[in-house]
Amino acid sequence: MKNITFLLIIIQLTTLNSVSKPLEENENRSLKWEILEKNYEDNRDNSTYWEIVPKKEILRELDETFQEQTDINNLFSNLDLLSNTEIYEITPIIPLNNFIKNDEIETSIEWKSSFGGGKAGGIGQQNNSLKIDYGLSKNMQLTGYFSEADDDTYNYINGARAQYSWQNYAISLKKSILKPNNGKNSLSSFASIEYWRLSSGSDYTKSIYNEIDNSLGKDRFNKIIGSFSLPFSHKITNDLEGLLVPGITFLPEKFGNKTSRSNGYGENIYLGTGLLWKLSDNFKLTSSFTMPLGKGNNYFDKNLNFSKKPIYSFGLNWDLNKKISLETKITNGYGSTPATGLLTIPSDNLPLYAANFKYNPYGKDTYLKPLETRDKLISFGGITVNNALIPSNGTGQYSFDLDSNGNYNTSYSYSLSNIFQLELINLGAINNASNNTFINENFTNTYLDKNNFNIRLGGKFLLFSPQKNDILWTSLRTSVGRNESSNQGYVFSELINTYRVNNWLAANLTSKYFYSGIEQFGAFGGSIYLNLSDNLQIIPEINYLLDKKMQSNNTISVRYSFSEDKSIDLYLSNSLSSEDLSQLLRSKNNRFGIKLNLLY
């Protein structure tokens, strides 16, 4: 009945110019009708009663009804996001018999590292990679890979420091062979061809491929390698799938002519097993165990003795929605391509941790209500304390920061989803940092030396938001990168909470953690956004260090917003600078600076 009433009101609104003279005199009014309850005192029958009602009130009721319907639709839309997304491999050597949809693309970025730096120092031995899956048809998938490792070996080789690096460019093709109607068993063929660039040694270190003398220098090798496997899978239950994967990798047996023996891995026949267990629509557990067979090897120790080691992995996949998935994994497989996935970390056999971010541009995103104007003005972030808000899907965020000490930092981030922002560029340098001693001299010389230049990459995930009826915004941000001068990196993570107190006040509380091979420490950051007017804010910030040997720092800034998408900050601070690590450190001198912000 209510919908019919509104339909009649709309008809009336479109015909106001044709009604009688008394109505024309009330330009801002329209009519509605309702059935009155029977009044026995005036002896009238139920009848239609006309009442003059302000037009604004009617439009507001219509808008509220429309919004209620929209919210219901979006609720079901978000529930649909929890339906299954596919996994295409457990490890590079254990492919699954799942295929990406025809003409669709999925990209994944993996950070893989040892838990410590070993003799090389730093946060760990890393082999990071990029993978792109493309659907050639519903039963054929093409995948491209790039991986790079450029650390020293985890252990000294024959008692001496050894530089070791590789780059790998690969493509693979997976084609379905058997997919019966009952869906219980399936079989595919999987082949890869790869270009492997290896190097070892420098002007200061000896190459591990030089076993005839003690001369220093770098050896470089460019090799074509490959792999082939036949993954067979069986559906044990609707939620549990088992795999059996026989395969072979084709790697060189010898590198260079400065050795009298085989100093490579050679061909490896292997037999792999795997399990995929669907805990729920958006959580999946994976595991695998692979045994090398035949005459080849996949491991060498600190004395360059080659042998075989089984490769294992245990992982958890979490689908945030159909666009974004996360995977964490423990494995001893150091390689990130099909031909190198059987190899352990150079000079050791250690458990490694891996974090994998997957993105499907064709997937359905999480619906969030649009930000109100007052909240858009705080989504630029702060100077040394961030906030939990994320610009909407498809929005780029730029910033440039310059201060009186000569420090500079520029960043560019892009929202791949309403709940994930990728930090693509974060570059900066810290001037005069070496004049301060933070924690110890080794720490300062490693991350804050005279010629420091920091390159970082990161991401920010939105966990809770009032835009989906939560109490506050909560985000997890992590960035990784290194000082190019010392070639040493660190991980910086923060859990950010933002709460809207009222129309003119918002507060942030952030827990921060710095991790490196030299030091680890934590801090709490706090800030408020105080609106003096619609486009003018005062933002005080504090970083409280949990290490008693380190001093806390303070910042105060004034932000003027030219529009919802553009603002400028003028600030005074005694933090070292605004970049991840240095925002936790206190400088001997105050600095003032300017920061430009743009959403596009």
Side-chain angles (χ1 to χ4, degrees):
M1 185 65 184
K2 186 176 181 180
N3 291 332
I4 296 174
T5 304
F6 286 137
L7 179 59
L8 292 175
I9 293 172
I10 293 172
I11 295 172
Q12 292 163 10
L13 289 173
T14 59
T15 57
L16 280 177
N17 291 331
S18 62
V19 297
S20 61
K21 174 92 176 183
L23 292 178
E24 291 178 357
E25 295 174 355
N26 296 282
E27 293 181 352
N28 294 323
R29 297 187 172 187
S30 61
L31 302 178
K32 75 174 184 180
W33 61 272
E34 59 182 357
I35 302 297
L36 298 177
E37 294 183 2
K38 187 167 183 176
N39 188 331
Y40 293 96
E41 293 182 0
D42 63 7
N43 198 30
R44 289 185 304 174
D45 294 330
N46 287 351
S47 59
T48 301
Y49 175 73
W50 297 90
E51 180 184 357
I52 298 176
V53 178
K55 185 188 298 184
K56 291 182 179 179
E57 181 180 332
I58 296 173
L59 294 176
R60 177 168 48 80
E61 290 182 9
L62 289 171
D63 181 67
E64 288 175 355
T65 302
F66 175 77
Q67 186 61 49
E68 288 175 4
Q69 185 62 45
T70 301
D71 290 344
I72 292 171
N73 291 339
N74 288 318
L75 172 63
F76 285 104
S77 175
N78 283 341
L79 290 174
D80 182 57
L81 295 174
L82 300 179
S83 59
N84 271 343
T85 58
E86 296 290 0
I87 301 175
Y88 307 117
E89 65 176 37
I90 294 178
T91 72
I93 54 175
I94 307 292
L96 289 162
N97 292 320
N98 299 324
F99 294 83
I100 193 170
K101 292 180 180 178
N102 186 31
D103 285 335
E104 285 199 3
I105 293 176
E106 181 177 284
T107 61
S108 61
I109 300 173
E110 183 178 65
W111 170 279
K112 184 183 290 184
S113 174
S114 60
F115 286 92
K119 293 296 185 181
I123 58 176
Q125 299 286 294
Q126 297 150 25
N127 182 18
N128 303 319
S129 62
L130 168 69
K131 183 166 73 78
I132 302 174
D133 296 308
Y134 176 70
L136 293 174
S137 69
K138 66 178 182 178
N139 294 317
M140 189 179 297
Q141 180 172 309
L142 183 69
T143 303
Y145 309 78
F146 171 75
S147 73
E148 183 174 33
D150 62 356
D151 292 305
D152 292 356
T153 55
Y154 188 84
N155 296 308
Y156 286 158
I157 301 298
N158 294 320
R161 177 190 172 196
Q163 289 184 312
Y164 184 87
S165 64
W166 79 41
Q167 287 183 336
N168 200 311
Y169 305 85
I171 56 172
S172 70
L173 182 67
K174 180 170 64 174
K175 187 178 186 307
S176 177
I177 297 175
L178 176 65
K179 206 163 189 178
N181 292 331
N182 61 15
K184 290 288 185 182
N185 301 316
S186 56
L187 177 68
S188 298
S189 64
F190 183 86
S192 76
I193 184 168
E194 310 182 18
Y195 178 60
W196 199 21
R197 302 175 61 189
L198 294 94
S199 68
S200 180
S202 68
D203 293 339
Y204 311 101
T205 60
K206 178 183 173 181
S207 168
I208 68 170
Y209 302 110
N210 179 7
E211 298 182 88
I212 61 174
D213 57 42
N214 291 319
S215 62
L216 306 179
K218 179 175 283 191
D219 290 326
R220 295 184 177 88
F221 304 97
N222 300 320
K223 299 291 184 179
I224 300 297
I225 59 177
S227 70
F228 180 78
S229 64
L230 291 168
F232 172 81
S233 60
H234 173 71
K235 287 275 190 181
I236 302 171
T237 68
N238 288 335
D239 298 322
L240 185 63
E241 181 177 351
L243 287 105
L244 185 66
V245 185
I248 183 171
T249 62
F250 304 95
L251 301 177
E253 291 186 7
K254 187 175 180 180
F255 291 96
N257 53 14
K258 297 179 182 179
T259 181
S260 58
R261 66 185 181 102
S262 296
N263 61 349
Y265 297 103
E267 293 181 3
N268 271 287
I269 298 173
Y270 67 86
L271 183 64
T273 58
L275 285 175
L276 171 63
W277 183 19
K278 296 180 180 178
L279 299 176
S280 65
D281 284 337
N282 58 334
F283 282 99
K284 304 175 183 69
L285 285 176
T286 63
S287 64
S288 69
F289 184 85
T290 304
M291 179 63 70
L293 307 170
K295 64 178 183 177
N297 300 296
N298 67 331
Y299 156 83
F300 68 83
D301 64 16
K302 60 184 179 180
N303 296 314
L304 292 178
N305 297 314
F306 284 77
S307 62
K308 298 181 183 67
K309 299 290 182 183
I311 299 299
Y312 58 83
S313 75
F314 304 94
L316 172 66
N317 287 263
W318 178 22
D319 298 326
L320 279 76
N321 54 38
K322 289 190 176 182
K323 273 185 176 290
I324 306 292
S325 298
L326 301 178
E327 179 186 26
T328 58
K329 188 185 302 179
I330 300 295
T331 180
N332 66 333
Y334 186 65
S336 297
T337 65
T340 62
L342 198 63
L343 306 181
T344 68
I345 189 171
S347 78
D348 216 324
N349 177 30
L350 298 171
L352 314 170
Y353 68 90
N356 197 336
F357 166 75
K358 302 175 185 178
Y359 175 66
N360 185 338
Y362 299 95
K364 198 169 187 178
D365 202 1
T366 302
Y367 172 78
L368 297 180
K369 298 175 184 177
L371 283 172
E372 297 183 12
T373 301
R374 62 184 181 177
D375 295 322
K376 287 183 179 179
L377 296 179
I378 70 173
S379 60
F380 298 112
I383 305 298
T384 65
V385 177
N386 208 338
N387 66 52
L389 278 69
I390 291 179
S392 61
N393 181 27
T395 302
Q397 183 171 2
Y398 308 79
S399 71
F400 179 75
D401 188 329
L402 179 66
D403 69 26
S404 56
N405 288 343
N407 305 322
Y408 67 89
N409 180 258
T410 184
S411 67
Y412 170 69
S413 302
Y414 184 81
S415 296
L416 293 174
S417 163
N418 289 329
I419 62 171
F420 177 74
Q421 183 184 49
L422 179 63
E423 200 170 302
L424 288 165
I425 299 172
N426 192 330
L427 309 174
I430 304 164
N431 192 29
N432 294 324
S434 57
N435 294 334
N436 299 274
T437 299
F438 304 98
I439 305 176
N440 57 58
E441 187 175 354
N442 184 29
F443 175 87
T444 301
N445 292 338
T446 301
Y447 299 108
L448 304 167
D449 60 301
K450 182 178 180 180
N451 299 313
N452 72 84
F453 182 72
N454 292 279
I455 298 177
R456 305 196 62 71
L457 175 72
K460 184 176 177 183
F461 291 94
L462 182 67
L463 303 176
F464 304 106
S465 172
Q467 298 166 262
K468 49 179 182 176
N469 300 322
D470 298 316
I471 298 174
L472 76 170
W473 288 273
T474 298
S475 291
L476 175 65
R477 176 183 174 267
T478 297
S479 75
V480 296
R482 65 188 181 189
N483 174 13
E484 289 293 289
S485 175
S486 63
N487 201 34
Q488 294 297 312
Y490 64 86
V491 177
F492 182 84
S493 293
E494 50 187 338
L495 183 65
I496 314 165
N497 301 281
T498 300
Y499 179 68
R500 168 62 67 181
V501 180
N502 52 40
N503 286 336
W504 52 270
L505 183 65
N508 301 289
L509 179 63
T510 303
S511 57
K512 306 182 181 185
Y513 185 69
F514 168 86
Y515 171 75
S516 74
I518 299 175
E519 292 288 343
Q520 302 86 42
F521 53 85
F524 285 111
S527 69
I528 61 173
Y529 294 87
L530 179 62
N531 285 77
L532 299 181
S533 66
D534 289 340
N535 56 0
L536 186 64
Q537 293 175 325
I538 293 180
I539 309 173
E541 302 174 345
I542 183 173
N543 288 288
Y544 177 79
L545 276 296
L546 300 179
D547 190 326
K548 294 182 179 180
K549 297 179 294 183
M550 302 173 66
Q551 293 181 302
S552 301
N553 61 69
N554 302 277
T555 300
I556 187 164
S557 62
V558 177
R559 170 172 296 165
Y560 181 80
S561 301
F562 301 97
S563 67
E564 294 179 352
D565 303 323
K566 302 178 185 67
S567 73
I568 184 171
D569 298 332
L570 300 176
Y571 65 87
L572 176 68
S573 177
N574 60 2
S575 68
L576 185 60
S577 85
S578 305
E579 192 264 337
D580 286 348
L581 165 61
S582 54
Q583 65 183 224
L584 300 182
L585 304 175
R586 181 166 179 166
S587 176
K588 290 181 178 179
N589 303 312
N590 291 332
R591 60 191 180 91
F592 61 88
I594 183 172
K595 182 184 177 187
L596 305 176
N597 309 293
L598 175 65
L599 296 175
Y600 180 76

